[in-house]
């Protein structure tokens, strides 16, 4: 007993060695991670500060001080409201097209297609995301808009009693509906990619549980895959919505905007969107408070986007105990 | 309700690899049949061929016959979806649907049949199935809460309730207790004794004491080595297999000399 204790004392290092030195790798990594986290907050704060400092004077401006922007409006809010409406309206229409299509494509890739076909298809969808938005704008305004004119005429003639399809149909096809469909193509890849990843992560256990109960493939998807993927689908849709809300070039090139508030989809009088309006007006806005008015509209867009994201988070967290995260 | 299963010369393949070779056996109704054997010997694979769940794996197929009361499960025109509605399955790890409440989990299979049920009928099915799985008393006051909030053993009994809600002819259990603690295991074993009054029960287990405790008939599977197919070595009454098996390999496995 005594000898083993002595042996242990002799061989074991002094007690203070339990207090090891801080490892430089750990410390560096912690510092880098902390720095990165703070950096993103600083950027966000800087952008917010810029929008507030530059935008608020524009929001309070007298129309006389900003003639190229506020020229025909009573005040800033009168000016921004049709733009904000157009932004949200076009984005929601785009999501209405893009989300069901994305879910369908993602399900096909994750659960229906043969593995080799699925990887090719996934790659092509990712390529869509790499197409510059100005190219979509060119295509939308020169090719796509012309192609949909007969369809619009038919919708207007046969379903014109629905307010959405009413009014005087556009002969150029450059309407808010066309812009929304171009936006839909643009946001499709991001929503599809996220849905595909989430669908593939459905636990095999739950898929097998459904199949063993005698579910067909579609029933299995409805029972195990879609409920599991619901938060992911919403996140993907919100990322897509974020891109649609902020998209500038494609909308500016496709849409023939007149700055009205209307839900008619097929006419040549369409609401513009905030980003497209900023891009189109910026060149001639170089004096007075015009630039500040445009930055003010940017602040409104910022608030709208923030609100949309908060809403999405709330939807996702509402049934978190049923989420499958446990 | 309870049906006999006759398997004749069944081979299971994953692509070119033969996983199970030439199994012939009879599984009696209203009894518990246990499959034992070392890991990788094909007993789970074989179990899955009894409700065609092996087809979930790409390139898996079988040769041979599986007759359930004379009806070939692999006959032409047989729909695997129909087969699985008659042959319930319980998995190694409890897998209640996390997005569903306890009640919805029990009714998951019933709703697949797209039958319109009144609230009263649904409540009856839920209570009958949960009572059948010895879970009713524990959950009757929280049927609306998520199934994933239950303990592991309760979740497994919920899965059994989900299976018996379908009123199947056969219940297959793939190592149903391997993720559970001893007390939950005991609860499931007691339940298996009750289930065999009504159903044909087939259970795969790594736990030989469990096979000895719950089963009436035991089948021993073995493989010659990695890469060779699993085979049915011996099948007989549990009493005989665990006392005087005919084959030396069975005796070695039972007595713990290998595996």
């Amino acid at each position: 007993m005594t000898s083993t204790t002595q042996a242990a004392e002799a061989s074991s290092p002094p007690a203070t060695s339990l207090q090891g030195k801080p490892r430089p790798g750990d410390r560096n990594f912690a510092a880098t991670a902390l720095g990165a986290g703070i950096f993103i907050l600083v950027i966000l704060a800087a952008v917010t500060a810029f929008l507030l400092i530059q935008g608020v004077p524009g929001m309070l401006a007298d129309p006389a001080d900003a003639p190229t922007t506020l020229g025909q409006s009573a005040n800033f809010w009168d000016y921004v409201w049709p733009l904000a409406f157009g932004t949200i309206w076009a984005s929601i229409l785009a999501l209405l097209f893009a989300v069901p299509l994305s879910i369908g494509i993602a399900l096909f890739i994750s659960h229906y297609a043969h593995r080799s076909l699925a990887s090719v298809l996934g790659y092509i969808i990712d390529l869509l995301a790499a197409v510059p938005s100005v190219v979509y704008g060119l295509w939308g305004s020169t090719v796509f808009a012309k192609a949909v004119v007969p369809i619009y005429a038919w919708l207007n003639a046969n379903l014109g009693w629905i307010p959405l399809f009413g009014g005087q149909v556009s002969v150029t096809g450059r309407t808010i509906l066309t812009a929304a469909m171009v936006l839909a193509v643009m946001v499709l890849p991001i929503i599809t990619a996220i849905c595909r990843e989430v669908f593939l992560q459905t636990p095999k256990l739950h898929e097998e549980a459904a199949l063993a109960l005698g579910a067909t493939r579609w029933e299995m998807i409805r029972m195990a895959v879609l409920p599991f993927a619901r938060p992911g689908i919403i996140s993907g849709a919100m990322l897509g919505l974020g891109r649609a809300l902020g998209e500038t070039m494609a909308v500016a090139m496709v849409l023939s905007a007149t700055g009205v508030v209307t839900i008619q989809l097929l006419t040549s009088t369409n609401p513009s969107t905030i980003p497209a309006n900023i891009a189109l007006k910026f060149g001639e806005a170089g004096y007075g408070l015009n630039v500040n008015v445009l930055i003010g509209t940017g602040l409104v867009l910022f608030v709208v986007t923030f609100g949309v994201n908060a809403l999405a988070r709330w939807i996702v967290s509402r049934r978190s105990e049923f989420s499958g995260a446990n | 309700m309870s049906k006999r299963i006759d398997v004749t010369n069944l081979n299971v393949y994953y692509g070119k690899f033969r996983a199970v070779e030439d199994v012939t056996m009879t599984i009696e109704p209203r009894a518990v049949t246990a499959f034992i054997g070392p890991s990788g010997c094909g007993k789970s694979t074989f179990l899955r061929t009894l409700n065609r769940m092996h087809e979930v794996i790409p390139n898996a197929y079988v040769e041979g016959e599986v007759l359930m009361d004379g009806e070939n499960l692999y006959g032409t025109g047989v729909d695997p979806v129909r087969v699985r509605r008659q042959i319930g399955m319980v998995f190694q790890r409890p897998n209640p649907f996390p997005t569903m409440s306890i009640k919805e989990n029990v009714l998951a299979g019933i709703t697949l049949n797209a039958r319109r049920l009144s609230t009263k009928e649904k409540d009856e099915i839920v209570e009958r199935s949960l009572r059948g799985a010895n879970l009713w008393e524990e959950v009757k006051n929280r049927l609306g809460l998520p199934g994933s909030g239950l303990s592991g053993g309760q979740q497994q009994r919920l899965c059994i309730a989900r299976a018996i809600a379908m009123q199947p002819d056969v219940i297959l259990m793939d190592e149903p207790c391997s993720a559970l603690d001893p007390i939950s295991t005991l609860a499931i074993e007691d339940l298996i004794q009750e289930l065999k009054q009504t159903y044909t029960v087939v259970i795969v287990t790594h736990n030989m004491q469990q096979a000895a405790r719950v089963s009436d008939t035991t089948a021993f599977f073995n493989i010659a080595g990695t890469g060779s197919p699993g085979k049915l070595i011996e099948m007989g009454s549990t009493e005989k297999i665990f006392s005087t098996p005919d084959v030396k390999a069975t005796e070695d496995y039972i007595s713990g000399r290998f595996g």
Side-chain angles (χ1 to χ4, degrees):
Chain A
M1 178 67 199
T2 322
S3 64
T4 51
T5 316
Q6 277 169 350
E9 273 169 6
S11 66
S12 69
T16 50
S17 73
L18 276 177
Q19 300 162 351
K21 276 184 247 166
R23 294 169 185 77
D26 281 354
R27 211 174 39 204
N28 294 344
F29 178 74
T32 314
L34 181 69
I38 291 172
F39 185 62
I40 194 75
L41 287 179
V42 168
I43 288 183
L44 190 67
V47 169
T48 315
F50 157 75
L51 285 173
L52 284 172
I53 293 166
Q54 300 271 327
V56 169
M59 296 168 91
L60 302 173
D62 191 292
D65 296 331
T68 53
T69 49
L70 296 185
Q72 275 131 45
S73 313
N75 57 38
F76 175 80
W77 301 108
D78 190 35
Y79 176 69
V80 79
W81 155 241
L83 296 173
F85 169 80
T87 310
I88 296 171
W89 181 230
S91 304
I92 288 175
L93 287 172
L95 277 198
L96 284 182
F97 290 114
V99 170
L101 201 55
S102 297
I103 293 175
I105 297 170
L107 275 180
F108 179 72
I109 293 174
S110 66
H111 283 82
Y112 282 88
H114 190 265
R115 204 171 296 166
S116 52
L117 177 63
S119 60
V120 172
L121 203 58
Y123 185 66
I124 290 173
I125 296 285
D126 289 343
L127 267 184
L128 269 185
V131 176
S133 63
V134 68
V135 174
Y136 280 114
L138 284 171
W139 170 75
S141 58
T142 58
V143 179
F144 186 61
K146 288 198 182 77
V148 292
V149 168
I151 303 170
Y152 287 177
W154 184 88
L155 279 174
N156 184 251
N158 294 283
L159 297 170
W161 51 273
I162 303 173
L164 288 176
F165 303 126
Q168 178 67 43
V169 71
S170 163
V171 289
T172 59
R174 291 169 63 178
T175 74
I176 189 115
L177 186 60
T178 312
M181 286 195 279
V182 173
L183 278 179
V185 177
M186 297 178 67
V187 301
L188 196 75
I190 191 164
I191 306 179
T192 305
I194 289 173
C195 287
R196 181 187 59 195
E197 287 311 309
V198 179
F199 292 159
L200 285 173
Q201 278 169 17
T202 312
K204 272 275 164 301
L205 221 55
H206 298 142
E207 295 186 5
E208 291 193 340
L211 290 173
L213 285 171
T216 62
R217 183 141 44 168
W218 167 236
E219 286 168 336
M220 180 272 282
I221 285 168
R222 257 188 6 207
M223 194 176 252
V225 179
L226 291 181
F228 176 83
R230 191 171 148 275
I233 294 172
I234 294 174
S235 304
M238 287 306 135
L239 274 177
L241 183 59
R243 177 155 190 211
L245 286 171
E247 178 48 41
T248 309
M249 275 327 288
V251 178
M253 293 167 82
V254 170
L255 190 62
S256 126
T258 50
V260 295
V261 175
T262 174
I263 59 161
Q264 291 181 349
L265 297 174
L266 310 177
T267 66
S268 50
T269 52
N270 295 294
S272 188
T273 72
I274 292 175
N277 183 65
I278 293 175
L280 292 172
K281 291 278 169 64
F282 191 73
E284 52 189 275
Y287 65 96
L289 286 172
N290 287 319
V291 173
N292 299 85
V293 169
L294 292 180
I295 295 172
T297 63
L299 180 60
V300 172
L301 180 65
F302 182 78
V303 171
V304 167
T305 315
F306 195 81
V308 163
N309 272 306
L311 183 71
R313 297 240 159 193
W314 177 73
I315 293 173
V316 170
S317 68
R318 213 162 31 127
R319 269 168 64 96
S320 58
E321 60 179 326
F322 282 90
S323 71
N326 34 20
Chain B
M1 289 280 278
S2 185
K3 288 188 176 170
R4 169 199 305 275
I5 297 177
D6 289 292
V7 182
T8 320
N9 300 118
L10 193 83
N11 291 282
V12 190
Y13 297 86
Y14 291 129
K16 282 181 184 157
F17 173 66
R18 176 149 69 167
V20 177
E21 183 180 336
D22 209 22
V23 173
T24 299
M25 69 161 66
T26 297
I27 295 167
E28 296 293 338
R30 289 179 199 277
V32 178
T33 304
F35 297 168
I36 60 170
S39 294
C41 69
K43 54 195 189 304
S44 287
T45 302
F46 175 69
L47 184 81
R48 283 169 160 254
T49 63
L50 299 180
N51 68 342
R52 299 186 63 166
M53 274 300 285
H54 68 287
E55 291 172 14
V56 172
I57 300 157
N59 301 326
Y61 66 96
V62 304
E63 284 169 357
E65 258 187 357
V66 179
L67 302 179
M68 189 169 73
D69 271 9
E71 193 183 356
N72 189 359
L73 300 184
Y74 290 93
T76 46
V78 172
D79 183 358
V81 167
R82 298 254 151 226
V83 170
R84 292 178 200 142
R85 284 181 190 179
Q86 286 177 44
I87 303 181
M89 189 160 197
V90 177
F91 293 83
Q92 199 166 345
R93 278 177 50 206
N95 55 359
F97 296 114
T99 53
M100 295 184 189
S101 68
I102 293 171
K103 184 177 173 180
E104 287 165 342
N105 260 293
V106 176
L107 292 169
I110 302 283
T111 49
L112 285 179
N113 289 317
R115 263 196 294 146
R116 285 237 162 259
L117 291 173
S118 67
T119 315
K120 187 159 164 284
E121 284 173 304
K122 281 185 182 168
D123 288 345
E124 279 170 11
I125 291 172
V126 169
E127 181 170 348
R128 190 190 63 222
S129 309
L130 286 171
R131 280 191 192 282
N134 288 345
L135 192 60
W136 174 251
E137 293 300 327
E138 291 157 65
V139 301
K140 63 182 176 186
N141 294 322
R142 45 173 169 157
L143 294 173
L145 295 181
S148 49
L150 299 173
S151 76
Q154 290 173 325
Q155 287 188 25
Q156 194 63 301
R157 278 179 281 150
L158 178 59
C159 294
I160 294 173
R162 183 173 66 186
I164 62 183
M166 300 283 286
Q167 301 190 294
D169 302 311
V170 180
I171 297 179
L172 308 177
M173 297 186 169
D174 189 356
E175 298 182 41
C177 302
S178 64
L180 305 182
D181 66 274
I183 293 176
S184 305
T185 299
L186 194 65
I188 302 275
E189 287 180 5
D190 288 345
L191 177 57
I192 291 171
Q193 291 306 312
E194 291 171 28
L195 291 176
K196 78 169 183 181
Q197 315 294 326
T198 327
Y199 307 99
T200 307
V201 179
V202 187
I203 176 172
V204 167
T205 177
H206 265 125
N207 180 334
M208 281 181 285
Q209 285 75 32
Q210 182 168 64
R213 282 194 298 265
V214 302
S215 71
D216 304 295
T217 311
T218 299
F220 172 63
F221 287 76
N222 202 359
I223 41 170
T226 318
S228 55
K231 285 183 186 172
L232 174 62
I233 303 298
E234 187 175 0
M235 185 171 181
S237 78
T238 300
E239 205 177 321
K240 177 166 183 298
I241 294 283
F242 279 89
S243 55
T244 52
D246 292 334
V247 183
K248 178 82 167 39
T250 315
E251 195 181 343
D252 287 351
Y253 184 75
I254 301 287
S255 57
R257 271 196 280 274
F258 88 100

